[in-house]
Amino acid sequence: GETAKGDYPVICVKTMAKIAKEAEACIWNERIFEDMMRTDVGDACNNTTTTAISAVMASYKCKASAIIVLTTSGATSHVVSKYKPHCPILTVTRFPQVARQLQIFRGCIPLFYEPGRLDGAWMDDVDARVQYAIDFGKKSNFISAGDNVVVITGWRQGSGSSNTCRVLSVN
């Protein structure tokens, strides 16, 4: 049989991608999430894991178009990805290495945020990064006005502070 290293690598990779998408569509992610919740009893102790679980659960309940994660290290997106949400995970980071590393996680779409920090209130900067992700989703046609998105942020700057999960309606 043909492999990706054969005479027709582009056609082969497109066919494999089509098969993978079809297989993913057949999986009942919400049931897998519930099964993981029953078996991952010890993990739910830290703030990041608890926030990630809450975000995935909220995404199922409100039929969110995306989960937006503001991250420094990428750890929060990694944990969200583990629980296999049905929607894309838009991960906004200021660090190019983190953005590159996030490409390997299921459902993660890393967004490298280049503008510097806004002077003034920290929440204005958070809102600007969330809007950056929403604008990307609108351009990519998977977020529309009126859709819900779930947003994970931290309570302060830096790694290890993700503890806030919000559901926003897109304007």
Side-chain angles (χ1 to χ4, degrees):
E2 182 63 38
T3 66
K5 294 170 93 178
D7 294 335
Y8 306 101
V10 174
I11 294 170
C12 184
V13 170
K14 284 181 181 178
T15 302
M16 289 189 295
K18 213 182 287 184
I19 291 168
K21 283 181 182 179
E22 185 68 27
E24 282 275 324
C26 294
I27 296 173
W28 189 11
N29 287 341
E30 196 167 357
R31 178 65 184 265
I32 292 171
F33 173 68
E34 290 169 0
D35 291 344
M36 289 177 78
M37 294 300 300
R38 278 194 292 279
T39 58
D40 285 358
V41 177
D43 271 354
C45 299
N46 78 41
N47 289 344
T48 302
T49 303
T50 304
T51 306
I53 290 168
S54 299
V56 173
M57 189 175 294
S59 76
Y60 284 121
K61 297 296 181 190
C62 74
K63 297 183 178 16
S65 295
I67 297 175
I68 298 171
V69 181
L70 306 185
T71 187
T72 301
S73 67
T76 304
S77 291
H78 181 195
V79 177
V80 172
S81 175
K82 171 185 173 183
Y83 291 100
K84 300 178 180 6
H86 70 287
C87 58
I89 305 162
L90 297 177
T91 306
V92 182
T93 183
R94 284 194 159 95
F95 303 97
Q97 180 180 352
V98 172
R100 287 190 302 272
Q101 291 170 340
L102 285 167
Q103 294 181 49
I104 198 167
F105 298 117
R106 181 196 179 279
C108 283
I109 301 171
L111 302 175
F112 177 53
Y113 187 75
E114 294 184 75
R117 295 190 193 282
L118 294 176
D119 293 333
W122 178 68
M123 276 310 291
D124 292 339
D125 184 54
V126 168
D127 292 341
R129 289 182 284 160
V130 169
Q131 191 59 50
Y132 180 75
I134 290 171
D135 291 343
F136 175 84
K138 284 180 175 179
K139 278 190 278 188
S140 300
N141 294 322
F142 59 84
I143 296 178
S144 305
D147 288 355
N148 289 323
V149 293
V150 177
V151 180
I152 300 175
T153 59
W155 62 279
R156 63 176 168 78
Q157 293 178 349
S159 292
S161 62
S162 294
N163 69 348
T164 307
C165 178
R166 299 181 288 165
V167 177
L168 301 177
S169 182
V170 176
N171 295 327

